[in-house]
Amino acid sequence: MSFTYTMWFAFFGLLMGRLPGALVGAVIGFIFDNLRYGQRKRAIPEAGGFVGPLFTLLGAVAKADGRVSEAEIAIAERLMTRMKLDTELRKQAVVSFNVGKQPEFDVTQTITALRKWVGMRRDHAFPVLDVVIETVLAEGNPGPEKMSILRQLAFALRVSDMELMALMAMKGYAWNAGGGQRQYGHGQGSSGYVPPQRSAQGPDPYAVLGIDRQADDRAIKRAYRKLISEHHPDRLGDLPEDMRKRAESRASEINAAYDRIKEARGFK
């Protein structure tokens, strides 16, 4: 539980009424902190509630270029195993994947269901995107149809293109989201399309932190603290172990990128 309001109200109370004011302010702040904590607990997504829409979306992504490859099927099967889905949830995942890969399947309702499940928990949005990105990149440099679905999902989950670029960079892919407006739907947005490219030099540390190379040291430190907070596995609550491990991997990439920049710039 965070005590942000408690500290701030106590501080203002101290300025206005010395010790008695600080005590009154602390009590008021604690009430606000307690209310916020209760709301946050209620906002935690139901474990397993994402399985249906997630695998439906994976099926749609796999089929977006016209065919579902063995690599994409293998990723879905490995995901079911890593998530340790029981018999019923595994059956639900298989059925959902097959629904998503039907011709002309509309992903809108599925993305809406994932957005509803995530709610305001951005820290839960990143594991969902991480899983979808894995399918998007299953065959290497993805086509515009797959990237269109990924960007639609990111937008619905309140994740910016810059943050999406950072997630791609963590997987060793360089991608520039610029050069045109967001366009959603199969076959749209392909004019001048440049797919994400695997970087031979490994993840770009600046792209991983989602910052410009010209950013000053203070901006770099601020970006690092924000990212490591959002991707910390301890924030995920009751999610499958696979998603927690993904968060640990992202946190490791963020730390490695930050260390590389610190070493290159010579600051601590």
Side-chain angles (χ1 to χ4, degrees):
M1 176 175 170
S2 172
F3 294 96
T4 304
Y5 284 114
T6 302
M7 291 186 292
W8 276 110
F9 274 82
F11 174 72
F12 286 117
L14 181 64
L15 293 179
M16 300 182 66
R18 298 189 178 182
L19 183 57
L23 292 174
V24 172
V27 170
I28 296 173
F30 179 77
I31 293 172
F32 276 98
D33 280 323
N34 196 46
L35 288 172
R36 186 174 65 166
Y37 178 69
Q39 291 173 345
R40 186 174 179 83
K41 286 191 69 176
R42 289 192 296 272
I44 295 176
E46 177 187 357
F50 62 94
V51 171
L54 177 59
F55 279 90
T56 301
L57 192 66
L58 295 184
V61 169
K63 184 67 174 181
D65 59 359
R67 59 178 292 274
V68 179
S69 69
E70 292 183 2
E72 290 162 334
I73 293 174
I75 284 177
E77 291 177 343
R78 285 199 303 270
L79 183 59
M80 295 177 203
T81 300
R82 292 201 304 259
M83 286 185 171
K84 299 179 180 179
L85 301 182
D86 60 29
T87 303
E88 287 303 314
L89 283 178
R90 190 180 185 91
K91 185 183 301 183
Q92 179 186 358
V94 171
V95 170
S96 298
F97 187 87
N98 289 331
V99 168
K101 71 179 188 179
Q102 296 305 307
E104 305 301 326
F105 178 79
D106 186 354
V107 300
T108 303
Q109 289 186 347
T110 300
I111 288 177
T112 299
L114 284 172
R115 180 178 63 188
K116 183 178 179 181
W117 178 81
V118 167
M120 299 302 294
R121 296 294 302 271
R122 274 173 49 86
D123 52 326
H124 283 68
F126 293 118
V128 171
L129 282 167
D130 191 89
V131 170
V132 177
I133 289 172
E134 191 173 66
T135 299
V136 168
L137 299 177
E139 298 177 292
N141 304 338
E145 300 87 358
K146 293 182 178 181
M147 287 301 297
S148 178
I149 295 175
L150 178 61
R151 294 180 80 182
Q152 184 178 353
L153 174 65
F155 182 77
L157 300 185
R158 303 173 183 85
V159 173
S160 68
D161 272 340
M162 182 66 74
E163 292 170 315
L164 188 56
M165 288 165 61
L167 291 174
M168 302 284 281
M170 292 178 199
K171 294 185 178 296
Y173 277 78
W175 175 57
N176 188 346
Q181 299 177 342
R182 290 177 181 265
Q183 297 186 49
Y184 305 134
H186 301 304
Q188 295 180 349
S190 59
S191 178
Y193 173 75
V194 178
Q197 303 286 333
R198 179 172 285 281
S199 175
Q201 291 75 34
D204 179 345
Y206 288 91
V208 169
L209 296 189
I211 53 176
D212 189 89
R213 289 184 172 273
Q214 306 305 316
D216 59 29
D217 294 351
R218 180 178 297 180
I220 291 171
K221 293 177 181 179
R222 186 167 57 246
Y224 166 74
R225 287 193 295 267
K226 178 177 181 292
L227 272 179
I228 205 65
S229 172
E230 290 182 332
H231 292 274
H232 200 287
D234 289 347
R235 295 173 59 94
L236 295 180
D238 188 22
L239 284 186
E241 185 63 22
D242 175 70
M243 287 192 167
R244 295 183 62 84
K245 288 181 178 179
R246 289 172 184 274
E248 290 173 0
S249 178
R250 289 194 303 276
S252 178
E253 288 288 352
I254 293 166
N255 282 322
Y258 186 55
D259 288 342
R260 287 176 61 188
I261 294 175
K262 285 195 300 180
E263 182 179 357
R265 293 199 174 204
F267 69 83
K268 295 183 179 180

